Amino acid sequence: EVQLVESGGGLVQPGGSLRLSCVVSGFTFSSYEMNWVRQAPGKGLEWVSYISTSGGTKYYADSVKGRFTISRDNAKNSLFLQMNSLRAEDTATYYCVKGGYFDSSHFWGQGTLVAVSS
Amino acid sequence: DIQMTQSPASLSASVGDRVTITCRASQGIRNDLGWYQQKPGKAPKRLISAASSLQSGVPSRFSGSGSGTEFTLTINSLQPEDFATYYCLQHHTYPWTFGQGTKVEVK
């Protein structure tokens, strides 16, 4: 059974940093592309970032470019999102999502909540 | 970026009604579109993949159609558990983009 479990969310002050993790099981992580998608409270869904199987290709939404960094550790079946210079508008539930150019399976985790507030 | 225009933003319906939600892409995306259902406090659940393929375990009252730029999600005979928010997602190219969502409420 495919499972994606996010962690690392919490309350952080504006300008602060946070590192999200997503640990996966049930599939060969190193063979699949991954993404982060977020949803602000009461708002719609927004794609945030993509990473290829090797980590050599990464894409970011304009809203997070230069502040967020996606990475992966294939040996530990883990996906990460390093979030720096956080703003109030980054407050959202962050989901890791399996999928990409070569995989349209689109399995989602349950999400982790990030709140940016003073 | 590909813009996904979803309509309506909300609708009121009764149990047993037929409901139709539309997504329009700003450029052709073949059939690289999924439909999701989301309930409060839960992760989105994919109902339809490849524009018209029903996901395993999803009731047959849900159906999807379309290709290119026009897509439709239809719910036949709305059930109480179907009151939720629905989103389309294009994954034809990055950045992935979602429709704005359609909230299906009780009439």
Side-chain angles (χ1 to χ4, degrees), chain B residues 73-89:
Chain B
L73 173 70
T74 300
I75 311 172
N76 284 303
S77 188
L78 196 69
Q79 296 301 300
E81 59 268 30
D82 300 337
F83 292 99
T85 301
Y86 295 83
Y87 295 93
C88 62
L89 163 65

Side-chain angles (χ1 to χ4, degrees), chain A residues 74-88:
Chain A
N74 287 340
K76 295 184 178 179
N77 289 345
S78 296
L79 174 72
F80 305 102
L81 187 67
Q82 177 67 43
M83 304 186 296
N84 298 331
S85 303
L86 282 161
R87 306 167 180 167

Side-chain angles (χ1 to χ4, degrees), chain A residues 35 39 50 104-106 108, chain B residues 36 38 43 46 87 91 94 96:
Chain A
N35 303 267
Q39 184 172 38
Y50 158 90
S104 58
S105 64
H106 298 182
W108 292 57
Chain B
Y36 288 82
Q38 188 178 34
R46 191 164 67 171
Y87 295 93
H91 56 93
Y94 281 95
W96 286 358

Side-chain angles (χ1 to χ4, degrees), chain A residues 26-102:
Chain A
F27 64 98
T28 304
F29 179 65
S30 59
S31 298
Y32 290 93
E33 304 149 287
M34 297 294 295
N35 303 267
W36 288 98
V37 171
R38 69 183 180 182
Q39 184 172 38
K43 302 296 184 183
L45 297 160
E46 178 189 20
W47 170 82
V48 172
S49 186
Y50 158 90
I51 189 167
S52 62
T53 54
S54 66
T57 300
K58 303 175 184 181
Y59 303 138
Y60 299 94
D62 288 343
S63 57
V64 306
K65 203 171 293 183
R67 301 186 299 122
F68 289 12
T69 302
I70 191 171
S71 63
R72 64 192 296 161
D73 185 337
N74 287 340
K76 295 184 178 179
N77 289 345
S78 296
L79 174 72
F80 305 102
L81 187 67
Q82 177 67 43
M83 304 186 296
N84 298 331
S85 303
L86 282 161
R87 306 167 180 167
E89 53 265 36
D90 296 317
T91 294
T93 296
Y94 286 74
Y95 298 98
C96 64
V97 181
K98 174 179 175 286
Y101 287 111
F102 306 104

